[in-house]
Amino acid sequence: MSRLNRDVYPYDPFRKRIIFLYRNPQDNEQGNMDCHTSTMEANGADGSVALIGHPNVGKSAIFQRLTGQRVMISNYPGTTVTVSRGRMLAFPDIDLVDTPGLITIPTHTEDEHVTTRVLLEETPRVLLQVGDAKNIRRTLLLTLQLAEMGLPFVLALNMTDEAQKAGLDVDAALIAKKLGIQVIQTAAVHDIGLTELSGAIATAQSSEFNIEYPAVIEQAVGQLLPFLPDGPITQRSQALLWLSDDEVYTSWLRKKADPETLDQMLQFKTAAASIATGPPAALIQQSRLALAATLTAESAHESKKKDFQFGSVLGRIAMHRVWGWGILGLILYTIYWFVGVFGAGTLVDALESRLFGEIINPWITNLVSTLIPVPLVVEFLVGKYGLWTIGVTYALALILPIVTTFFLSFGLLEDSGYLPRLVALSNQVFQALGLNGKAVLPMVLGLGCVTMATVTTRVLETKRDRFLVTLMLALAVPCSAQLGVVMGLLAGISFTATLIWSGVVALVLLLVGWLAARFVSGDRTPLLIELPPMRLPQFRNVVLKTVARLEWYLKEVIPFFLIGAAVMFALDLFGVLDWLAKVMEPLVVHWLGLPAEASAAFLMGFLRRDFGATGLFVMEAQGLLSPMQVVVSMVTITLFIPCVASVLIIAKEHGRRTATGMVLLIFPLAFLVAGVLYRFLAWIGWML
């Protein structure tokens, strides 16, 4: 397969929920951008600039540099899909809308539907497509569709530096001449071409380019034109969307046209389908594919000089059916050491034991006791279950260093291009569960946040796949905070303890997934995933992503920790905690073999699993848990019901009945598995 014809399909974890902030340091470039503002205003800019492109082509990088820190994240109206908006640095009155990545038009997933809605409902001032210069044919296929819409249009051919290293030369001027658009070559991560891109946006013009489709399509388009309403895109492109059975356009048109008009238009489409050798949508796509291939052959050429691509070799090894698993094992062990040993060991000890334990907490306790000499208030703030003692100290001294090291690790994997290869590598494993390798993406994302990962199950094609992955996420995928605590506890015992915990959790995950796949009707969907090049992670990008995710963590988690501390204080104050401990004693003490005090940790786990795991972390530090009890308790809390936010999202995505059913399944299963494990370890006399 030649380099020019290789089609691949990417995924960008976290992008839907996290915006990575960036302030352009090049003041001279910003000055050049500002000079175009008056041109944009003179052109009567009254809408937004829509940023459109395939996933993993650098849209986020361009968005960051064109908007700086003027970013707002919100759900697109009528959907749960998050869209990023930012005021452009060069045009302070113009919004840049970062639409979800799409493969082609018509779109097929809920995320992709939002992109079409932006085109139809927001009347964009300019369409800015970001394309991958290394995959020029696939880029041009989308370019042809957008150019026909009649909106002012600019194409940013991004990653040109990587294309050149791969020995690929793209004639941007030829593409611009053929299509009547402005084509700018950029390398956003190196701030190359952004000044020219800003100028092109300011002077963007509509393209008059149209594809000559087969006669049956052209005839149907001609018949449809008189019935189509005026809109942000041309009536010709509307007709093509109608013939292509675009779901979003059909819904939009129903609000504009009366039933009689729709019936007449449907007759034209049906007639075209009966005359043509295939569905009109297929004929339209074939014409576009043929033209994209021709234009690619004319404009893209492989140069004689090619740089040695170590990343390409490493990328192939990472997917090898033997060596790929070895690389995955090495990566997991490195993360285990960095997060579990360094983050949960060294950093937590420095913060929790020394900084907070010896300096901050004693000072806060003395200050509160002096300023507010009311015993109940002092106990509420700095007592055993105080807001500061548990809420703030747990969040900042115990969890923050753990999630920081995890987010750094995840950012390195994400920026290197390894995650899509993990999808390809794990495809065979997920086949046994009736899924494809793409299911690993929400599950890997769940290691950051199960709530976020549940939302991103929408990248899976069918309702069945989304249900199965959501079940596995809720059952046995720990979030970053909980995973860090678990790894920190187990790393302090032995690597064998970690293997037992991970083996039991993986076995339960695979067994439940296998059984569920056989009870839930539906067929497995084929895998379609993009393989971006392996590259050295950009230090700046990784740091910015980590900082943004930590900002999200602090906003998301600290309120839950404070609420949890307040709940535990109230339960302890009114004696409910002791009563619940006695009620749970047969389950916790006799079945799991844990101290009665562990009941409090499991109660905290109802609010957040990581909160409960942190309580067990403290118990182990106080010498209340033996090594075997640590393993049993970690298995229990890992298989525990997800946090409140996750349950609410599951209910929103799949319905309250499904969410309730999952909770009723997961809660007893966690205690059943952990109890069996305790008896097995005691039976073999295993000592950690």
Side-chain angles (χ1 to χ4, degrees):
M1 184 179 294
S2 72
R3 179 178 291 104
L4 297 181
N5 294 326
R6 184 170 61 242
D7 283 342
V8 285
Y9 299 82
Y11 181 78
D12 187 4
F14 284 100
R15 190 191 63 78
K16 301 288 192 304
R17 286 282 305 270
I18 306 297
I19 295 301
F20 314 126
L21 305 180
Y22 174 80
R23 184 181 296 280
N24 193 340
Q26 299 187 5
D27 293 334
N28 60 329
E29 181 171 312
Q30 179 58 50
N32 292 335
M33 286 185 176
D34 289 339
C35 71
H36 299 298
T37 304
S38 59
T39 308
M40 173 70 90
E41 292 173 348
N43 287 344
D46 56 356
S48 58
V49 175
L51 189 63
I52 297 176
H54 297 103
N56 210 36
V57 295
K59 288 197 303 104
S60 295
I62 287 183
F63 179 83
Q64 294 161 23
R65 281 142 177 87
L66 294 184
T67 60
Q69 294 186 359
R70 311 178 189 185
V71 180
M72 179 180 68
I73 310 170
S74 61
N75 286 348
Y76 197 79
T79 74
T80 56
V81 178
T82 302
V83 173
S84 309
R85 299 176 186 269
R87 286 300 173 107
M88 300 182 67
L89 293 171
F91 316 115
D93 297 329
I94 303 298
D95 281 345
L96 182 64
V97 182
D98 186 12
T99 64
L102 78 164
I103 302 300
T104 187
I105 299 174
T107 55
H108 301 286
T109 67
E110 184 179 0
D111 285 357
E112 292 181 334
H113 289 343
V114 168
T115 301
T116 308
R117 287 187 56 183
V118 169
L119 295 174
L120 294 172
E121 297 174 0
E122 296 213 3
T123 315
R125 167 63 180 84
V126 176
L127 297 185
L128 172 57
Q129 182 197 354
V130 180
D132 183 357
K134 305 184 301 302
N135 292 301
I136 187 63
R137 183 168 71 95
R138 189 169 62 93
T139 293
L140 291 176
L141 178 60
L142 181 59
T143 302
L144 295 174
Q145 299 173 73
L146 296 176
E148 284 192 304
M149 291 186 175
L151 289 166
F153 183 51
V154 177
L155 170 61
L157 276 181
N158 200 31
M159 304 181 187
T160 53
D161 54 330
E162 294 182 359
Q164 291 169 358
K165 290 179 181 178
L168 184 63
D169 293 326
V170 180
D171 190 342
L174 177 63
I175 297 173
K177 181 179 179 181
K178 290 277 187 179
L179 302 183
I181 61 175
Q182 297 191 66
V183 181
I184 308 298
Q185 293 180 304
T186 63
V189 295
H190 302 298
D191 300 325
I192 296 174
L194 299 183
T195 302
E196 294 81 359
L197 184 60
S198 178
I201 293 172
T203 58
Q205 300 294 327
S206 302
S207 172
E208 297 182 359
F209 172 82
N210 283 317
I211 299 175
E212 185 66 29
Y213 294 100
V216 62
I217 300 298
E218 292 293 346
Q219 179 182 353
V221 169
Q223 293 172 329
L224 289 168
L225 289 179
F227 297 90
L228 296 170
D230 292 332
I233 62 176
T234 63
Q235 291 176 323
R236 178 180 173 83
S237 61
Q238 290 185 50
L240 293 170
L241 288 175
W242 173 258
L243 293 172
S244 299
D245 297 315
D246 187 277
E247 181 180 337
V248 177
Y249 175 74
T250 301
S251 176
W252 178 83
L253 185 62
R254 287 197 180 105
K255 301 175 184 178
K256 304 285 184 179
D258 58 74
E260 292 183 0
T261 300
L262 291 173
D263 288 341
Q264 185 67 42
M265 293 175 60
L266 184 59
Q267 292 177 19
F268 292 141
K269 180 162 58 174
T270 303
S274 63
I275 297 173
T277 57
L283 293 179
I284 293 171
Q285 189 72 350
Q286 288 171 9
S287 299
R288 291 168 174 166
L289 283 168
L291 183 55
T294 300
L295 189 55
T296 298
E298 295 175 351
S299 61
H301 308 281
E302 295 186 10
S303 62
K304 295 181 180 180
K305 182 180 178 181
K306 303 178 183 178
D307 295 343
F308 173 72
Q309 301 253 321
F310 177 74
S312 299
V313 177
L314 182 61
R316 288 193 294 270
I317 296 175
M319 293 187 296
H320 192 272
R321 59 184 179 181
V322 176
W323 301 114
W325 293 106
I327 290 178
L328 176 60
L330 180 62
I331 290 173
L332 292 177
Y333 182 78
T334 303
I335 294 175
Y336 160 83
W337 180 88
F338 184 59
V339 178
V341 178
F342 176 69
T346 305
L347 293 183
V348 167
D349 180 66
L351 288 176
E352 195 267 340
S353 300
R354 300 179 185 178
L355 181 60
F356 276 77
E358 298 176 5
I359 300 175
I360 296 179
N361 283 2
W363 181 79
I364 292 291
T365 300
N366 291 332
L367 180 64
V368 171
S369 300
T370 302
L371 295 179
I372 314 174
V374 180
L376 183 62
V377 176
V378 172
E379 188 70 16
F380 178 66
L381 295 177
V382 294
K384 181 180 179 181
Y385 296 110
L387 295 184
W388 181 272
T389 312
I390 288 186
V392 177
T393 302
Y394 278 19
L396 298 183
L398 289 177
I399 305 299
L400 183 60
I402 294 171
V403 297
T404 300
T405 51
F406 175 82
F407 284 152
L408 282 171
S409 303
F410 195 93
L412 290 170
L413 292 177
E414 180 184 23
D415 218 46
S416 67
Y418 176 74
L419 292 181
R421 285 163 175 81
L422 178 59
V423 171
L425 182 66
S426 61
N427 189 49
Q428 282 189 324
V429 175
F430 281 95
Q431 282 181 355
L433 304 179
L435 298 165
N436 62 45
K438 192 183 289 188
V440 79
L441 293 171
M443 298 186 71
V444 170
L445 187 55
L447 298 176
C449 174
V450 174
T451 304
M452 183 194 311
T454 302
V455 175
T456 59
T457 56
R458 295 196 210 103
V459 303
L460 304 176
E461 286 80 4
T462 66
K463 184 177 180 180
R464 169 187 176 274
D465 291 357
R466 292 192 289 271
F467 170 79
L468 292 176
V469 174
T470 300
L471 174 62
M472 290 188 287
L473 281 169
L475 173 65
V477 177
C479 66
S480 58
Q482 182 192 3
L483 179 63
V485 174
V486 171
M487 292 178 65
L489 264 175
L490 298 175
I493 299 173
S494 69
F495 187 63
T496 304
T498 305
L499 291 178
I500 293 175
W501 166 81
S502 59
V504 171
V505 171
L507 180 62
V508 172
L509 181 71
L510 294 175
L511 181 60
V512 172
W514 182 81
L515 290 172
R518 273 137 190 84
F519 282 102
V520 179
S521 60
D523 297 324
R524 174 182 172 272
T525 53
L527 175 65
L528 201 61
I529 190 73
E530 175 156 348
L531 299 176
M534 292 283 287
R535 58 171 73 92
L536 285 175
Q538 295 287 324
F539 177 76
R540 180 179 64 183
N541 289 351
V542 173
V543 171
L544 288 173
K545 293 176 183 180
T546 301
V547 170
R549 288 164 182 167
L550 287 176
E551 180 184 0
W552 162 80
Y553 159 78
L554 293 174
K555 293 178 180 178
E556 179 83 11
V557 172
I558 287 182
F560 277 103
F561 271 58
L562 294 176
I563 293 171
V567 170
M568 296 302 296
F569 173 80
L571 293 177
D572 183 58
L573 178 65
F574 295 104
V576 179
L577 199 58
D578 292 335
W579 177 79
L580 288 174
K582 291 180 181 179
V583 172
M584 295 180 64
E585 183 173 342
L587 184 63
V588 174
V589 178
H590 302 303
W591 176 248
L592 299 180
L594 300 176
E597 293 85 350
S599 301
F602 291 126
L603 288 173
M604 290 188 290
F606 279 107
L607 187 67
R608 282 187 66 96
R609 281 191 295 190
D610 52 324
F611 200 2
T614 306
L616 295 169
F617 188 102
V618 174
M619 287 183 61
E620 193 277 337
Q622 296 171 347
L624 299 177
L625 295 177
S626 68
M628 188 171 72
Q629 288 174 327
V630 168
V631 175
V632 172
S633 64
M634 289 300 99
V635 168
T636 308
I637 203 68
T638 303
L639 299 178
F640 212 57
I641 60 174
C643 65
V644 173
S646 295
V647 174
L648 294 176
I649 287 296
I650 293 172
K652 185 176 183 180
E653 295 287 317
H654 299 279
R656 287 179 292 180
R657 180 178 299 180
T658 299
T660 302
M662 287 187 182
V663 171
L664 293 177
L665 167 68
I666 292 169
F667 179 70
L669 182 62
F671 284 93
L672 174 64
V673 172
V676 172
L677 175 64
Y678 163 65
R679 278 154 178 75
F680 176 75
L681 295 178
W683 176 66
I684 64 174
W686 179 72
M687 296 296 293
L688 292 170

